[in-house]
Amino acid sequence: MASLHLIKLCVGADRVEDLLEWQAARIAEYRAAGQEPLPVHVTRMWPKREAELLDGGALYWVFKGLVLARQRILRLDPRDAADGIRRCAIVLEPEVIRTAPQPRRPFQGWRYLPAPDAPPDLAGPLGDGPALPPAMAAELALIGVY
């Protein structure tokens, strides 16, 4: 079985650093409450292709029209919301890995991302050196330079 990934807009974050800060704050809250200190993204829909996602899949994050980072999916947990609707908590590995920028048009929710279509990782857990401004990275990615 080949790995399958998810892709999701990182709403409210302009940069990978915004995601890192938000997740660090949530992890601190989880620790203080005696809960498992892992980042979680809660979504309304449960992926039907769960087995493929859990076979090495990752959640790829889109920032301002560019895929720039990913996190490995550890598991999917049921999560009951206050409205009585069961949701899917995507439990992620804490390490955020920067990827080569890949342009993406806006979409709602999450989408499956086949492994061959996923952008490659940049060197090291957070890439080498500072990130380019998103607009510049997008232009370079469009012409195949970055």
Side-chain angles (χ1 to χ4, degrees), residues 38-109:
L38 291 173
V40 173
H41 176 74
V42 179
T43 183
R44 199 171 71 109
M45 302 303 294
W46 194 283
K48 291 182 168 87
R49 299 172 70 182
E50 179 177 0
E52 293 170 271
L53 291 172
L54 298 178
D55 186 29
L59 177 59
Y60 281 76
W61 292 107
V62 179
F63 300 85
K64 296 187 109 178
L66 291 173
V67 178
L68 295 176
R70 71 175 180 88
Q71 288 177 279
R72 190 168 68 84
I73 298 171
L74 298 177
R75 66 180 188 271
L76 304 178
D77 289 347
R79 177 82 48 98
D80 292 323
D83 60 8
I85 296 173
R86 179 157 283 186
R87 306 238 192 294
C88 176
I90 303 169
V91 181
L92 303 166
E93 186 172 277
E95 180 181 30
V96 174
I97 299 169
R98 290 186 192 263
T99 66
Q102 184 182 74
R104 286 288 166 157
R105 290 190 173 157
F107 58 91
Q108 290 185 346

Side-chain angles (χ1 to χ4, degrees), residues 3-7 53 56-60 73 111-115 118:
S3 290
L4 182 68
H5 308 295
L6 293 178
I7 187 166
L53 291 172
L59 177 59
Y60 281 76
I73 298 171
R111 300 282 185 267
Y112 290 114
L113 178 65

Side-chain angles (χ1 to χ4, degrees), residues 126-144:
L126 291 177
D128 290 333
L132 290 176
M136 184 184 292
E139 292 298 320
L140 292 173
L142 284 173
I143 62 172

Side-chain angles (χ1 to χ4, degrees), residues 4-25:
L4 182 68
H5 308 295
L6 293 178
I7 187 166
K8 172 91 177 82
L9 300 181
C10 197
V11 178
D14 293 334
R15 311 167 300 129
V16 176
E17 291 76 16
D18 297 333
L19 174 67
L20 293 170
E21 291 170 11
W22 188 88
Q23 286 187 352

